[in-house]
Amino acid sequence: MLSQQAAKVRASIGDEELRKSYDGFDDVTRSGVFGLQSQQLEERVLREIGPGFFDSADFEVLQLLGRISVMRDIGGHTEGLTAVIAYAARFLPRLPMQRPLTVLLKEYLPVARAVAFNELLVLSKLCDLPQDQYVVRHRDSANRPTTRHPPLVPLLGYFVSAPSEEAASVSLDSAAGSVWLVYRWEGLRPLNMYLGDVRPPEGTPSFFKRKEVAEAEAWRARHSWLRAVSRALLGAVAHCHGAGVTHGSISSGTVFLSSTRDEDADSLFVKLDNFGFGRLDPGGPLGLATPQLPNLDIDSTSRNEGRKHDLQATALTLLEAYSAATATSPSGALARTSLTRLLFEIYWDDMAAFRQYCADDPPLSRLVAFLDEGDRGGWDFIAQLVRGNRGASELLLHPFLQLL
């Protein structure tokens, strides 16, 4: 059964897609903070969570899914280092009458050891971790149907073990042990895969429906799906903030979708992943270096600064999705780096000028039309996110997100 399931996974997601699925930490830091804080975080994990109750012998790796990289300054230039390796695996219960369970394993190399322990601390505040291996087996928690709550990829536990051959071949310290985090396998697809694959919607004309009418209906369905993604992502951010957690690295690589089909807008839900740069209110766990946005001091211990950063990162992520989903040519999809420069440097706090910039570019005409809906409500919604003065729960009620 598991062999068939693994074969379906491999057949449904190509090698390039698998690599893109796990790039949530790419370019997230250019500092050497990891080693300095790893010991403190490990001590805190042992104190608050306890030792990991899994063992490497409990798992059989089915497939390497991809790598997550970080950027570091080395001698005046930046260099990408493999920090995390993701695997599809099966957990092998040792109790009678228990079937193997499909799980996601993330192996954190020594360079990202602090990120692993930070993620453990953050997720322990967002979800109840099983207290021992028996609980995981008895509840069959790794094999439950996927549900929309909580809006994060569920963590089952962790263990520390020798590095895999793959990790040892790329690690700066091949003798050091890896930290392995165990997650429930849910089969969700990351938003960044959607950005690379999305195409303009196609209407289905018939004898009773002209082509123009069918095309207009298809675009309305696309717009409904984009608003559903916006509501679901903001709801996930609101859930974290309500629990006293800021994510710290929201991007298209850390947002996972239940469906990428326009017709599934009503049932769509979102889950957040990669909490390695998250923090707990106030100012903790230890404030790992996180992606920088202009005009924002993310290393501040202020709770509001962390939440503001999450909302601004949400604005960038949604604009990436909006532009890709409304593009009728490759030039209509705006890259995150371009959006960051436009929103936070060129048109900072001037959404009218940013709209005019987009309106003057013909490939962005569909993006402009979408954000113009509801008396240009989409532009106001993005502006509110960029300012970061209103909470995620409040922004969920924005009129633009309530349009049909």
Side-chain angles (χ1 to χ4, degrees), residues 260-317:
T260 57
R261 293 157 47 95
D262 294 338
E263 54 267 37
D264 293 335
D266 290 342
S267 59
L268 179 129
F269 60 89
V270 158
K271 296 206 172 188
L272 291 174
D273 189 26
N274 291 348
F275 283 81
F277 292 96
R279 64 176 65 196
L280 309 176
D281 292 340
L286 289 172
L288 290 177
T290 49
Q292 296 294 314
L293 291 174
N295 308 315
L296 183 65
D297 178 17
I298 189 58
D299 290 325
S300 166
T301 58
S302 167
R303 177 181 67 179
N304 291 335
E305 285 296 291
R307 295 184 177 187
K308 182 178 180 180
H309 177 272
D310 276 357
L311 292 173
Q312 293 182 331
T314 298
L316 291 172
T317 302

Short mmCIF file of all heavy atoms in Angstrom, two decimals, residues 260-317:
data_model
loop_
_atom_site.label_atom_id
_atom_site.label_comp_id
_atom_site.label_asym_id
_atom_site.label_seq_id
_atom_site.Cartn_x
_atom_site.Cartn_y
_atom_site.Cartn_z
N THR A 260 -5.41 23.91 -5.86
CA THR A 260 -5.07 25.01 -6.74
C THR A 260 -6.09 25.15 -7.86
O THR A 260 -5.85 25.83 -8.85
CB THR A 260 -3.67 24.80 -7.35
OG1 THR A 260 -3.64 23.53 -8.04
CG2 THR A 260 -2.59 24.80 -6.27
N ARG A 261 -7.26 24.52 -7.70
CA ARG A 261 -8.30 24.57 -8.72
C ARG A 261 -9.28 25.70 -8.40
O ARG A 261 -9.75 25.83 -7.27
CB ARG A 261 -9.06 23.23 -8.75
CG ARG A 261 -8.22 22.07 -9.25
CD ARG A 261 -8.78 20.73 -8.76
NE ARG A 261 -10.21 20.62 -8.95
CZ ARG A 261 -10.81 20.04 -10.00
NH1 ARG A 261 -10.05 19.54 -10.97
NH2 ARG A 261 -12.12 19.96 -10.07
N ASP A 262 -9.58 26.51 -9.41
CA ASP A 262 -10.47 27.65 -9.21
C ASP A 262 -11.83 27.22 -8.66
O ASP A 262 -12.42 27.92 -7.83
CB ASP A 262 -10.67 28.41 -10.52
CG ASP A 262 -9.40 29.07 -11.02
OD1 ASP A 262 -8.50 29.33 -10.20
OD2 ASP A 262 -9.30 29.34 -12.23
N GLU A 263 -12.32 26.07 -9.09
CA GLU A 263 -13.65 25.63 -8.67
C GLU A 263 -13.70 25.16 -7.22
O GLU A 263 -14.78 24.91 -6.68
CB GLU A 263 -14.16 24.51 -9.58
CG GLU A 263 -13.22 23.33 -9.71
CD GLU A 263 -12.29 23.42 -10.90
OE1 GLU A 263 -11.84 24.54 -11.20
OE2 GLU A 263 -12.02 22.38 -11.52
N ASP A 264 -12.53 25.06 -6.56
CA ASP A 264 -12.48 24.62 -5.16
C ASP A 264 -12.37 25.79 -4.19
O ASP A 264 -12.01 25.59 -3.02
CB ASP A 264 -11.29 23.67 -4.95
CG ASP A 264 -11.47 22.35 -5.69
OD1 ASP A 264 -12.62 21.98 -5.96
OD2 ASP A 264 -10.45 21.72 -6.00
N ALA A 265 -12.71 26.99 -4.63
CA ALA A 265 -12.54 28.18 -3.78
C ALA A 265 -13.31 28.05 -2.47
O ALA A 265 -12.82 28.45 -1.41
CB ALA A 265 -12.98 29.43 -4.54
N ASP A 266 -14.53 27.49 -2.51
CA ASP A 266 -15.35 27.44 -1.30
C ASP A 266 -14.79 26.51 -0.24
O ASP A 266 -15.05 26.70 0.96
CB ASP A 266 -16.78 27.00 -1.66
CG ASP A 266 -17.53 28.06 -2.44
OD1 ASP A 266 -17.11 29.23 -2.40
OD2 ASP A 266 -18.54 27.73 -3.10
N SER A 267 -14.03 25.49 -0.65
CA SER A 267 -13.51 24.52 0.31
C SER A 267 -12.01 24.69 0.57
O SER A 267 -11.42 23.92 1.34
CB SER A 267 -13.77 23.09 -0.18
OG SER A 267 -13.15 22.87 -1.45
N LEU A 268 -11.40 25.68 -0.03
CA LEU A 268 -9.94 25.84 0.06
C LEU A 268 -9.50 26.21 1.47
O LEU A 268 -10.17 26.97 2.16
CB LEU A 268 -9.48 26.91 -0.92
CG LEU A 268 -7.97 27.20 -0.91
CD1 LEU A 268 -7.39 27.14 -2.30
CD2 LEU A 268 -7.71 28.57 -0.29
N PHE A 269 -8.37 25.66 1.91
CA PHE A 269 -7.75 26.11 3.15
C PHE A 269 -6.24 26.14 2.97
O PHE A 269 -5.68 25.56 2.04
CB PHE A 269 -8.15 25.24 4.35
CG PHE A 269 -7.79 23.78 4.23
CD1 PHE A 269 -6.55 23.31 4.69
CD2 PHE A 269 -8.69 22.86 3.70
CE1 PHE A 269 -6.22 21.98 4.59
CE2 PHE A 269 -8.36 21.52 3.60
CZ PHE A 269 -7.13 21.07 4.06
N VAL A 270 -5.59 26.86 3.87
CA VAL A 270 -4.15 27.12 3.80
C VAL A 270 -3.50 26.66 5.09
O VAL A 270 -4.09 26.76 6.17
CB VAL A 270 -3.89 28.63 3.59
CG1 VAL A 270 -2.49 29.03 4.03
CG2 VAL A 270 -4.09 29.01 2.12
N LYS A 271 -2.27 26.15 4.98
CA LYS A 271 -1.48 25.84 6.16
C LYS A 271 -0.09 26.45 6.01
O LYS A 271 0.48 26.48 4.92
CB LYS A 271 -1.38 24.33 6.37
CG LYS A 271 -2.72 23.68 6.66
CD LYS A 271 -2.59 22.40 7.44
CE LYS A 271 -3.96 21.90 7.87
NZ LYS A 271 -3.88 20.76 8.80
N LEU A 272 0.44 26.94 7.12
CA LEU A 272 1.77 27.54 7.14
C LEU A 272 2.81 26.51 7.57
O LEU A 272 2.54 25.65 8.41
CB LEU A 272 1.80 28.73 8.10
CG LEU A 272 1.01 29.97 7.68
CD1 LEU A 272 1.02 31.01 8.80
CD2 LEU A 272 1.57 30.56 6.39
N ASP A 273 3.99 26.63 7.00
CA ASP A 273 5.11 25.72 7.30
C ASP A 273 6.34 26.57 7.57
O ASP A 273 6.35 27.78 7.41
CB ASP A 273 5.32 24.78 6.11
CG ASP A 273 6.30 23.66 6.42
OD1 ASP A 273 6.44 23.30 7.61
OD2 ASP A 273 6.91 23.13 5.48
N ASN A 274 7.41 25.90 8.00
CA ASN A 274 8.73 26.54 8.20
C ASN A 274 8.66 27.69 9.21
O ASN A 274 8.81 28.86 8.88
CB ASN A 274 9.29 27.06 6.86
CG ASN A 274 9.67 25.93 5.93
OD1 ASN A 274 9.73 24.77 6.34
ND2 ASN A 274 9.90 26.24 4.67
N PHE A 275 8.48 27.32 10.47
CA PHE A 275 8.45 28.30 11.55
C PHE A 275 9.84 28.49 12.19
O PHE A 275 9.94 28.96 13.31
CB PHE A 275 7.46 27.86 12.64
CG PHE A 275 6.02 28.10 12.28
CD1 PHE A 275 5.33 27.22 11.46
CD2 PHE A 275 5.37 29.22 12.76
CE1 PHE A 275 4.00 27.44 11.14
CE2 PHE A 275 4.03 29.45 12.45
CZ PHE A 275 3.35 28.55 11.62
N GLY A 276 10.89 28.13 11.49
CA GLY A 276 12.23 28.19 12.06
C GLY A 276 12.70 29.58 12.43
O GLY A 276 13.61 29.75 13.24
N PHE A 277 12.09 30.63 11.82
CA PHE A 277 12.44 32.00 12.16
C PHE A 277 11.31 32.70 12.89
O PHE A 277 11.27 33.92 12.97
CB PHE A 277 12.82 32.77 10.89
CG PHE A 277 14.10 32.28 10.28
CD1 PHE A 277 14.07 31.36 9.25
CD2 PHE A 277 15.32 32.71 10.76
CE1 PHE A 277 15.25 30.88 8.69
CE2 PHE A 277 16.49 32.24 10.21
CZ PHE A 277 16.46 31.31 9.17
N GLY A 278 10.39 31.91 13.45
CA GLY A 278 9.31 32.48 14.23
C GLY A 278 9.79 32.92 15.60
O GLY A 278 10.93 32.68 16.00
N ARG A 279 8.92 33.59 16.31
CA ARG A 279 9.25 34.02 17.67
C ARG A 279 7.98 34.05 18.50
O ARG A 279 6.86 34.11 17.98
CB ARG A 279 9.92 35.39 17.67
CG ARG A 279 9.07 36.52 17.16
CD ARG A 279 9.80 37.84 17.30
NE ARG A 279 10.99 37.90 16.47
CZ ARG A 279 11.96 38.79 16.62
NH1 ARG A 279 11.89 39.68 17.58
NH2 ARG A 279 12.99 38.80 15.83
N LEU A 280 8.17 33.96 19.81
CA LEU A 280 7.07 33.99 20.75
C LEU A 280 7.00 35.38 21.38
O LEU A 280 8.01 36.02 21.60
CB LEU A 280 7.27 32.94 21.85
CG LEU A 280 7.58 31.52 21.37
CD1 LEU A 280 7.83 30.62 22.58
CD2 LEU A 280 6.43 30.98 20.54
N ASP A 281 5.78 35.82 21.67
CA ASP A 281 5.63 37.09 22.38
C ASP A 281 6.02 36.92 23.83
O ASP A 281 5.63 35.93 24.46
CB ASP A 281 4.17 37.56 22.33
CG ASP A 281 3.74 37.95 20.92
OD1 ASP A 281 4.63 38.21 20.09
OD2 ASP A 281 2.52 37.98 20.67
N PRO A 282 6.74 37.84 24.41
CA PRO A 282 7.37 39.00 23.76
C PRO A 282 8.82 38.70 23.41
O PRO A 282 9.55 38.16 24.20
CB PRO A 282 7.29 40.08 24.83
CG PRO A 282 7.42 39.31 26.12
CD PRO A 282 6.78 37.96 25.90
N GLY A 283 9.17 39.00 22.16
CA GLY A 283 10.57 39.01 21.73
C GLY A 283 11.31 37.71 21.80
O GLY A 283 12.51 37.68 21.97
N GLY A 284 10.68 36.58 21.58
CA GLY A 284 11.39 35.33 21.71
C GLY A 284 11.02 34.36 20.63
O GLY A 284 10.21 34.69 19.79
N PRO A 285 11.50 33.11 20.63
CA PRO A 285 12.40 32.59 21.64
C PRO A 285 13.69 33.40 21.80
O PRO A 285 14.00 33.90 22.85
CB PRO A 285 12.69 31.18 21.18
CG PRO A 285 11.52 30.79 20.35
CD PRO A 285 11.10 32.07 19.67
N LEU A 286 14.48 33.53 20.73
CA LEU A 286 15.71 34.30 20.89
C LEU A 286 15.91 35.27 19.74
O LEU A 286 16.96 35.87 19.60
CB LEU A 286 16.92 33.36 20.99
CG LEU A 286 17.01 32.56 22.29
CD1 LEU A 286 18.11 31.53 22.18
CD2 LEU A 286 17.27 33.47 23.48
N GLY A 287 14.91 35.41 18.90
CA GLY A 287 14.99 36.40 17.83
C GLY A 287 16.02 36.07 16.78
O GLY A 287 16.96 36.81 16.56
N LEU A 288 15.88 34.93 16.09
CA LEU A 288 16.81 34.59 15.02
C LEU A 288 16.74 35.61 13.90
O LEU A 288 15.71 36.25 13.68
CB LEU A 288 16.47 33.20 14.45
CG LEU A 288 16.74 32.02 15.37
CD1 LEU A 288 16.30 30.73 14.70
CD2 LEU A 288 18.21 31.93 15.72
N ALA A 289 17.85 35.78 13.18
CA ALA A 289 17.85 36.70 12.05
C ALA A 289 16.81 36.25 11.04
O ALA A 289 16.69 35.07 10.74
CB ALA A 289 19.24 36.71 11.40
N THR A 290 16.06 37.20 10.51
CA THR A 290 14.98 36.89 9.59
C THR A 290 15.05 37.78 8.37
O THR A 290 15.83 38.72 8.33
CB THR A 290 13.62 37.08 10.30
OG1 THR A 290 13.62 38.35 10.94
CG2 THR A 290 13.39 36.01 11.33
N PRO A 291 14.24 37.50 7.33
CA PRO A 291 14.34 38.32 6.12
C PRO A 291 14.08 39.78 6.42
O PRO A 291 13.14 40.12 7.12
CB PRO A 291 13.24 37.73 5.22
CG PRO A 291 12.97 36.38 5.77
CD PRO A 291 13.23 36.47 7.24
N GLN A 292 14.89 40.64 5.86
CA GLN A 292 14.76 42.07 6.14
C GLN A 292 13.88 42.74 5.09
O GLN A 292 13.97 42.45 3.90
CB GLN A 292 16.14 42.73 6.13
CG GLN A 292 17.06 42.22 7.23
CD GLN A 292 16.55 42.61 8.61
OE1 GLN A 292 16.17 43.76 8.82
NE2 GLN A 292 16.54 41.69 9.53
N LEU A 293 13.01 43.63 5.54
CA LEU A 293 12.26 44.51 4.67
C LEU A 293 12.70 45.93 4.98
O LEU A 293 12.99 46.26 6.12
CB LEU A 293 10.75 44.37 4.90
CG LEU A 293 10.13 43.04 4.46
CD1 LEU A 293 8.67 42.99 4.89
CD2 LEU A 293 10.24 42.88 2.96
N PRO A 294 12.72 46.81 3.97
CA PRO A 294 13.11 48.19 4.23
C PRO A 294 12.19 48.83 5.28
O PRO A 294 11.01 48.50 5.38
CB PRO A 294 12.93 48.86 2.85
CG PRO A 294 13.05 47.74 1.88
CD PRO A 294 12.46 46.55 2.56
N ASN A 295 12.74 49.73 6.06
CA ASN A 295 11.99 50.51 7.06
C ASN A 295 11.46 49.67 8.21
O ASN A 295 10.54 50.06 8.89
CB ASN A 295 10.81 51.25 6.40
CG ASN A 295 11.24 52.07 5.20
OD1 ASN A 295 12.25 52.76 5.26
ND2 ASN A 295 10.49 51.97 4.11
N LEU A 296 12.02 48.48 8.42
CA LEU A 296 11.51 47.63 9.49
C LEU A 296 12.67 46.97 10.23
O LEU A 296 13.55 46.37 9.62
CB LEU A 296 10.59 46.54 8.93
CG LEU A 296 9.94 45.63 9.95
CD1 LEU A 296 8.98 46.41 10.83
CD2 LEU A 296 9.20 44.50 9.28
N ASP A 297 12.66 47.09 11.53
CA ASP A 297 13.68 46.45 12.37
C ASP A 297 13.09 45.16 12.93
O ASP A 297 12.49 45.15 13.99
CB ASP A 297 14.10 47.39 13.50
CG ASP A 297 15.13 46.74 14.43
OD1 ASP A 297 15.73 45.72 14.01
OD2 ASP A 297 15.32 47.24 15.54
N ILE A 298 13.27 44.05 12.19
CA ILE A 298 12.67 42.79 12.62
C ILE A 298 13.38 42.23 13.83
O ILE A 298 12.86 41.38 14.55
CB ILE A 298 12.66 41.77 11.46
CG1 ILE A 298 11.83 40.53 11.83
CG2 ILE A 298 14.07 41.37 11.09
CD1 ILE A 298 10.41 40.83 12.17
N ASP A 299 14.61 42.67 14.09
CA ASP A 299 15.33 42.17 15.26
C ASP A 299 14.88 42.85 16.55
O ASP A 299 15.33 42.49 17.63
CB ASP A 299 16.84 42.37 15.07
CG ASP A 299 17.40 41.45 14.01
OD1 ASP A 299 16.89 40.32 13.92
OD2 ASP A 299 18.30 41.85 13.28
N SER A 300 13.97 43.83 16.42
CA SER A 300 13.40 44.45 17.61
C SER A 300 12.61 43.41 18.41
O SER A 300 12.03 42.48 17.85
CB SER A 300 12.48 45.60 17.21
OG SER A 300 11.67 46.00 18.30
N THR A 301 12.58 43.57 19.73
CA THR A 301 11.82 42.65 20.56
C THR A 301 10.36 43.04 20.65
O THR A 301 9.57 42.39 21.32
CB THR A 301 12.40 42.61 21.99
OG1 THR A 301 12.37 43.93 22.55
CG2 THR A 301 13.82 42.09 21.97
N SER A 302 9.96 44.11 19.95
CA SER A 302 8.58 44.57 19.98
C SER A 302 7.67 43.55 19.32
O SER A 302 7.92 43.09 18.20
CB SER A 302 8.45 45.91 19.26
OG SER A 302 7.11 46.22 19.01
N ARG A 303 6.58 43.20 19.99
CA ARG A 303 5.61 42.28 19.43
C ARG A 303 4.99 42.86 18.16
O ARG A 303 4.80 42.15 17.16
CB ARG A 303 4.50 42.00 20.45
CG ARG A 303 3.39 41.09 19.94
CD ARG A 303 2.33 40.87 20.99
NE ARG A 303 1.60 42.11 21.26
CZ ARG A 303 0.60 42.19 22.12
NH1 ARG A 303 0.23 41.13 22.82
NH2 ARG A 303 -0.03 43.34 22.31
N ASN A 304 4.71 44.17 18.17
CA ASN A 304 4.08 44.79 17.01
C ASN A 304 4.98 44.76 15.79
O ASN A 304 4.50 44.64 14.66
CB ASN A 304 3.68 46.23 17.35
CG ASN A 304 2.54 46.30 18.34
OD1 ASN A 304 1.75 45.37 18.45
ND2 ASN A 304 2.47 47.40 19.08
N GLU A 305 6.29 44.89 15.97
CA GLU A 305 7.20 44.85 14.84
C GLU A 305 7.17 43.48 14.16
O GLU A 305 7.18 43.39 12.93
CB GLU A 305 8.62 45.20 15.28
CG GLU A 305 8.84 46.67 15.56
CD GLU A 305 8.67 47.52 14.31
OE1 GLU A 305 9.50 47.43 13.39
OE2 GLU A 305 7.68 48.27 14.26
N GLY A 306 7.16 42.42 14.96
CA GLY A 306 7.09 41.09 14.39
C GLY A 306 5.81 40.86 13.62
O GLY A 306 5.81 40.27 12.53
N ARG A 307 4.70 41.31 14.16
CA ARG A 307 3.41 41.14 13.49
C ARG A 307 3.34 42.00 12.22
O ARG A 307 2.76 41.59 11.21
CB ARG A 307 2.28 41.48 14.45
CG ARG A 307 2.22 40.49 15.62
CD ARG A 307 1.04 40.75 16.54
NE ARG A 307 1.01 39.74 17.60
CZ ARG A 307 0.03 39.60 18.47
NH1 ARG A 307 -1.01 40.41 18.42
NH2 ARG A 307 0.08 38.66 19.40
N LYS A 308 3.91 43.19 12.31
CA LYS A 308 3.96 44.05 11.13
C LYS A 308 4.76 43.38 10.02
O LYS A 308 4.36 43.43 8.84
CB LYS A 308 4.58 45.40 11.51
CG LYS A 308 4.64 46.42 10.38
CD LYS A 308 5.22 47.73 10.87
CE LYS A 308 5.29 48.76 9.77
NZ LYS A 308 5.87 50.05 10.25
N HIS A 309 5.86 42.78 10.37
CA HIS A 309 6.67 42.07 9.39
C HIS A 309 5.86 40.95 8.72
O HIS A 309 5.90 40.78 7.50
CB HIS A 309 7.92 41.48 10.05
CG HIS A 309 8.77 40.67 9.12
ND1 HIS A 309 8.55 39.32 8.92
CD2 HIS A 309 9.81 41.01 8.34
CE1 HIS A 309 9.44 38.87 8.06
NE2 HIS A 309 10.22 39.87 7.69
N ASP A 310 5.11 40.19 9.51
CA ASP A 310 4.27 39.12 8.95
C ASP A 310 3.25 39.67 7.97
O ASP A 310 3.01 39.09 6.90
CB ASP A 310 3.55 38.38 10.08
CG ASP A 310 4.40 37.29 10.72
OD1 ASP A 310 5.54 37.07 10.26
OD2 ASP A 310 3.92 36.66 11.68
N LEU A 311 2.62 40.79 8.31
CA LEU A 311 1.60 41.36 7.43
C LEU A 311 2.22 41.89 6.14
O LEU A 311 1.65 41.72 5.05
CB LEU A 311 0.85 42.47 8.16
CG LEU A 311 -0.02 42.01 9.34
CD1 LEU A 311 -0.58 43.22 10.09
CD2 LEU A 311 -1.15 41.11 8.86
N GLN A 312 3.38 42.51 6.24
CA GLN A 312 4.04 43.00 5.03
C GLN A 312 4.50 41.84 4.15
O GLN A 312 4.39 41.91 2.92
CB GLN A 312 5.22 43.90 5.42
CG GLN A 312 4.78 45.19 6.09
CD GLN A 312 5.95 46.09 6.44
OE1 GLN A 312 7.06 45.62 6.69
NE2 GLN A 312 5.71 47.40 6.47
N ALA A 313 4.99 40.77 4.77
CA ALA A 313 5.37 39.59 3.99
C ALA A 313 4.14 38.96 3.36
O ALA A 313 4.21 38.41 2.24
CB ALA A 313 6.08 38.59 4.89
N THR A 314 2.99 39.02 4.04
CA THR A 314 1.75 38.51 3.47
C THR A 314 1.35 39.33 2.25
O THR A 314 0.88 38.78 1.24
CB THR A 314 0.62 38.55 4.53
OG1 THR A 314 0.97 37.70 5.62
CG2 THR A 314 -0.70 38.08 3.94
N ALA A 315 1.53 40.65 2.32
CA ALA A 315 1.22 41.51 1.17
C ALA A 315 2.05 41.11 -0.05
O ALA A 315 1.54 40.98 -1.17
CB ALA A 315 1.48 42.97 1.53
N LEU A 316 3.34 40.90 0.16
CA LEU A 316 4.21 40.49 -0.94
C LEU A 316 3.80 39.13 -1.51
O LEU A 316 3.75 38.93 -2.73
CB LEU A 316 5.66 40.43 -0.47
CG LEU A 316 6.33 41.77 -0.14
CD1 LEU A 316 7.70 41.54 0.50
CD2 LEU A 316 6.48 42.61 -1.40
N THR A 317 3.48 38.19 -0.62
CA THR A 317 3.11 36.84 -1.05
C THR A 317 1.81 36.86 -1.85
O THR A 317 1.69 36.20 -2.89
CB THR A 317 2.97 35.92 0.17
OG1 THR A 317 4.20 35.90 0.90
CG2 THR A 317 2.60 34.51 -0.23
#
